[in-house]
């Protein structure tokens, strides 16, 4: 049987794997004099200060303009706003609402207005350092956005849209070519926040992943050597829209490139990004608006049903997020959790309980259980049917140690290996104590060949954003329950499959560690 050609996305994944015999060669040291600044500065433009609208009490804002500014202030603060300042030997490190690998924050957040009584038409950049919007281009650009998104129907009924971009060098400075993975995981964290922050501010975000890259980049006046558009998110105003808009995100298939040259190290990231772009030409309209592959599969069976494996039900009562905000739309605790979220630095030796693990999985994979609490019960993903979940359990009361497959449709854990993998996890996570000391380690995986066959090389973007989105829901649920949580993007790729028994077709995309945070003395 002839082997299928390897696409550029698959080639990139193989080239950027970490392996025990080559990891030392990849550690070239950091040039601290070239450390990038994680903020974008505009020298011209009209500045709109959002700090007067910090208060979570929306009832104190009575005029229509002040209500709108409050909504935008809360949406942006809870999506990507600054939440802490840490002093370092160099410039201070500012933490944000969404986690980022290495604290590098490659994302930029733009707002595009169709023209409203409060926001004149044009382009805005969110300045998180000052919690403000800078209006750097005053012109009607909405029709250009619609054209770039192949006339997606949601844009017909919306007035505002967020565009997230990535400044590639911010992450590549440290992680080199492998940074492309982390950039899209970071974007997934951000999308998870935007989804929940939208519920707070009465906006319903809709994800658009299929757009003409060059057109959106030109629209935002980006330096294409440094920055690129990643996702477009129209914001349906729930206070104005009388009926629900289509919730299926637009996921378009890019070309699949199998004839590529020898690409030197240091140029692989840029080459892959260009290869995953969608061009303006071609008949994309019908595909963009009606693609069935954009929806989460309505499959009745989960992908893996291993014979003779032990099965544990994860069905449980939803997490109770407590009292609602003063406006009565979403739980106040959810907003507080977004703003106080921190990645755990060390775990204690105490176990998790099975009920805690069930609660984490319920919030992450069963969002329909949270509609009555005011949270979005149908969040957009790009193609969640391509993501699988495995969990290595080292210390969960009433759950045998080993590796499990999580079946979200059946809501059960299916055990595939019987062993305590704590020492192996320490090795697999590049010697990080978080891997060894965590009581449960969640692995998000994807069949790259299947994903590329369905969506072209652009699937690589979608997979990592969806994994990051799931990871962020795990983050927030864990923090609310008083648990520790931290994502890991660096690991020995192939060895994870070998050690844990994860099928070899499943490429590991992301790791999230869970445990009890170690109390500082």
């Amino acid at each position: 049987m002839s082997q299928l050609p390897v696409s550029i996305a698959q080639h990139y994944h193989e080239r950027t794997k970490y392996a025990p015999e080559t990891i030392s060669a990849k550690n070239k040291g950091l040039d601290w004099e070239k450390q990038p600044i994680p903020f974008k500065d505009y020298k011209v433009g009209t500045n709109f200060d959002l700090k007067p609208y910090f208060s979570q009490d929306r009832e104190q804002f009575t005029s229509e303009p002040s209500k709108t500014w409050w909504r935008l202030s809360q949406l942006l603060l809870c999506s990507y706003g600054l939440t802490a300042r840490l002093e370092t030997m160099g410039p201070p490190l500012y933490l944000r609402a969404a986690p980022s690998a290495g604290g590098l924050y490659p994302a930029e957040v733009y707002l595009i207005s169709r023209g409203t009584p409060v926001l004149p038409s044009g382009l805005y950049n969110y300045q998180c350092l000052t919690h403000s919007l800078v209006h750097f281009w005053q012109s009607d650009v909405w029709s250009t956005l619609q054209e770039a998104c192949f006339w997606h129907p949601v844009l017909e009924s919306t007035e505002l849209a967020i565009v997230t971009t990535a400044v590639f060098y911010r992450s590549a400075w440290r992680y080199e070519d492998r940074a492309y993975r982390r950039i899209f995981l970071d974007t997934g964290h951000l999308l998870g926040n935007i989804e929940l922050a939208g519920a707070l501010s009465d906006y319903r975000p809709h994800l658009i992943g299929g757009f003409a890259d060059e057109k959106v980049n030109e629209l935002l006046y980006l330096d294409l050597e440094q920055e690129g558009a990643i996702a477009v998110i129209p914001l349906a105003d729930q206070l104005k829209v009388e009926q629900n808009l289509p919730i299926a995100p637009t996921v378009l298939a890019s070309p699949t490139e199998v004839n590529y040259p020898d690409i030197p190290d240091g140029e692989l990231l840029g080459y892959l990004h260009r290869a995953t772009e969608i061009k303006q030409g071609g008949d994309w309209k019908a595909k963009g608006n009606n693609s069935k592959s954009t929806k989460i599969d309505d499959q009745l069976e989960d992908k893996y049903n291993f014979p003779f494996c032990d099965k544990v039900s994860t069905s449980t009562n939803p997490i109770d997020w407590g009292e609602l905000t003063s406006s009565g739309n979403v739980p106040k605790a959810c907003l507080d959790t977004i703003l106080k979220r921190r990645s755990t630095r060390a775990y204690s030796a105490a176990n998790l309980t099975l009920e805690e693990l069930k609660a984490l999985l319920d919030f992450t994979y069963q969002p329909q259980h949270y509609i009555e609490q005011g949270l979005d019960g149908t969040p957009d993903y790009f193609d969640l049917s391509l993501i699988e979940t495995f969990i290595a359990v080292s210390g969960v009361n009433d759950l045998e140690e080993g590796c499990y497959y999580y079946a979200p449709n059946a809501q059960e854990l299916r055990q595939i290996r019987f062993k305590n993998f704590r020492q192996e996890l320490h090795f697999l996570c590049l010697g990080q104590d978080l891997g060894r000391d965590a009581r449960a380690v969640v692995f998000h995986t994807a069949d790259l060949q299947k994903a590329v066959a369905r969506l072209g090389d652009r699937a690589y973007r979608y997979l990592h954003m969806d994994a990051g989105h799931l990871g962020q829901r795990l983050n927030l649920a864990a923090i609310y329950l008083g648990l520790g949580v931290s994502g890991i993007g660096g690991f020995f790729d192939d060895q994870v499959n070998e050690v844990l028994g994860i099928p070899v077709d499943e490429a590991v995309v992301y790791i999230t560690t869970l445990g009890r945070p170690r109390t500082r003395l």
Side-chain angles (χ1 to χ4, degrees):
M1 181 182 293
S2 61
Q3 191 169 356
L4 294 174
V6 176
S7 78
I8 184 61
Q10 295 168 286
H11 173 75
Y12 166 87
H13 191 77
E14 289 295 321
R15 278 270 300 275
T16 57
K17 285 181 175 180
Y18 289 152
E21 60 273 14
T22 59
I23 187 67
S24 60
K26 294 182 180 292
N27 294 328
K28 300 178 180 178
L30 297 176
D31 187 343
W32 292 98
E33 293 184 357
K34 294 183 178 180
Q35 182 179 6
I37 298 173
F39 302 104
K40 193 169 184 178
D41 186 28
Y42 282 86
K43 303 300 183 184
V44 295
T46 304
N47 193 72
F48 294 91
D49 189 7
L50 301 175
K51 289 188 292 296
Y53 307 95
F54 258 138
S55 171
Q56 290 186 2
D57 183 9
R58 71 191 296 175
E59 299 306 312
Q60 72 183 73
F61 303 103
T62 56
S63 68
E64 287 304 315
S66 66
K67 289 179 180 177
T68 300
W69 284 120
W70 179 89
R71 294 169 67 195
L72 288 172
S73 176
Q74 294 296 306
L75 173 67
L76 294 169
L77 176 66
C78 293
S79 295
Y80 210 46
L82 300 187
T83 58
R85 168 180 165 141
L86 301 179
E87 297 299 331
T88 70
M89 296 296 291
L93 173 63
Y94 293 92
L95 303 182
R96 307 192 195 183
S100 173
L104 300 174
Y105 303 105
E108 284 288 327
V109 175
Y110 296 83
L111 190 68
I112 301 180
S113 174
R114 192 173 197 162
T116 74
V118 170
L119 283 176
S121 60
L123 307 174
Y124 299 76
N125 177 265
Y126 175 49
Q127 300 276 290
C128 58
L129 192 60
T130 57
H131 192 52
S132 62
L133 281 170
V134 58
H135 190 193
F136 66 91
W137 184 257
Q138 302 181 35
S139 181
D140 182 6
V141 296
W142 198 260
S143 60
T144 304
L145 178 65
Q146 289 179 287
E147 181 184 1
C149 294
F150 307 104
W151 305 100
H152 189 280
V154 170
L155 290 168
E156 286 291 328
S157 304
T158 48
E159 298 177 323
L160 297 173
I162 288 174
V163 180
T164 70
T165 70
V167 180
F168 302 112
Y169 180 67
R170 288 182 191 169
S171 188
W173 167 74
R174 178 170 181 174
Y175 298 114
E176 299 177 317
D177 284 322
R178 191 173 168 118
Y180 201 68
R181 303 188 188 197
R182 299 173 187 263
I183 285 169
F184 283 91
L185 291 172
D186 281 359
T187 302
H189 300 150
L190 175 55
L191 295 177
N193 272 5
I194 291 173
E195 169 217 324
L196 294 170
L200 154 70
S201 51
D202 290 312
Y203 289 110
R204 204 301 182 176
H206 292 257
L207 295 188
I208 297 179
F211 55 84
D213 294 72
E214 184 177 357
K215 194 80 173 179
V216 176
N217 292 337
E218 290 177 350
L219 171 64
L220 295 174
Y221 297 96
L222 304 184
D223 180 347
L224 302 187
E225 294 297 317
Q226 303 293 328
E227 187 177 2
I230 303 300
V232 179
I233 309 107
L235 301 173
D237 191 333
Q238 299 292 76
L239 301 183
K240 294 182 179 179
V241 177
E242 296 182 358
Q243 59 184 4
N244 291 330
L245 300 177
I247 64 170
T250 296
V251 177
L252 298 182
S254 73
T256 302
E257 184 175 340
V258 296
N259 296 314
Y260 40 86
D262 291 333
I263 307 166
D265 290 344
E267 298 179 16
L268 187 57
L269 184 157
Y271 191 97
L272 175 63
H273 187 70
R274 291 187 293 273
T276 57
E277 291 181 345
I278 292 173
K279 307 301 180 185
Q280 186 66 35
D283 182 18
W284 294 102
K285 183 176 180 181
K287 295 180 182 179
N289 293 344
N290 301 304
S291 172
K292 297 300 182 183
S293 68
T294 65
K295 297 182 180 180
I296 298 172
D297 282 357
D298 295 324
Q299 55 193 11
L300 299 178
E301 295 292 332
D302 294 283
K303 182 174 182 180
Y304 292 110
N305 191 8
F306 300 95
F308 312 114
C309 67
D310 292 339
K311 298 178 180 180
V312 178
S313 172
T314 60
S315 180
T316 186
N317 293 324
I319 293 174
D320 183 359
W321 287 88
E323 65 181 86
L324 302 182
T325 56
S326 59
S327 58
N329 59 336
V330 295
K332 182 178 184 298
C334 185
L335 316 180
D336 294 339
T337 300
I338 291 175
L339 296 178
K340 75 177 184 180
R341 181 217 56 79
R342 295 286 183 274
S343 296
T344 303
R345 298 303 176 196
Y347 294 117
S348 74
N351 282 357
L352 300 177
T353 68
L354 179 56
E355 286 305 313
E356 286 170 333
L357 180 59
K358 288 181 178 181
L360 295 173
L361 295 174
D362 187 77
F363 182 73
T364 303
Y365 296 92
Q366 312 298 334
Q368 71 277 7
H369 294 169
Y370 296 85
I371 296 175
E372 292 184 359
Q373 297 190 50
L375 302 178
D376 187 359
T378 55
D380 281 355
Y381 291 90
F382 295 105
D383 195 337
L384 202 55
S385 69
L386 294 170
I387 299 289
E388 303 298 333
T389 304
F390 295 83
I391 305 175
V393 172
S394 299
V396 176
N397 293 339
D398 300 318
L399 188 62
E400 187 174 5
E401 296 171 335
C403 186
Y404 294 79
Y405 168 67
Y406 174 62
N409 292 317
Q411 294 188 56
E412 63 185 20
L413 292 168
R414 299 170 179 172
Q415 191 169 14
I416 61 174
R417 284 283 171 92
F418 300 80
K419 183 181 178 181
N420 184 312
F421 289 103
R422 189 167 296 150
Q423 293 304 320
E424 289 87 345
L425 289 167
H426 187 239
F427 163 74
L428 295 174
C429 295
L430 310 186
Q432 296 182 68
D433 291 347
L434 289 172
R436 178 195 64 204
D437 299 336
R439 270 26 203 175
V441 181
V442 179
F443 296 83
H444 288 120
T445 71
D447 184 333
L448 286 184
Q449 183 171 314
K450 175 183 175 182
V452 170
R454 179 183 295 185
L455 296 169
D457 287 314
R458 198 178 183 91
Y460 204 75
R461 302 188 186 189
Y462 303 142
L463 296 174
H464 284 78
M465 285 190 283
D466 280 348
H469 190 160
L470 291 170
Q472 183 64 353
R473 290 185 72 93
L474 279 171
N475 262 261
L476 296 176
I479 295 299
Y480 177 65
L481 294 175
L483 306 176
V485 58
S486 187
I488 291 180
F491 45 85
F492 290 133
D493 297 70
D494 291 338
Q495 286 72 21
V496 170
N497 298 74
E498 295 171 6
V499 171
L500 299 180
I502 296 173
V504 294
D505 291 339
E506 297 290 336
V508 181
V509 176
Y510 195 24
I511 294 176
T512 302
T513 62
L514 299 163
R516 296 198 183 280
R518 184 183 301 169
T519 303
R520 293 183 179 179
L521 299 178

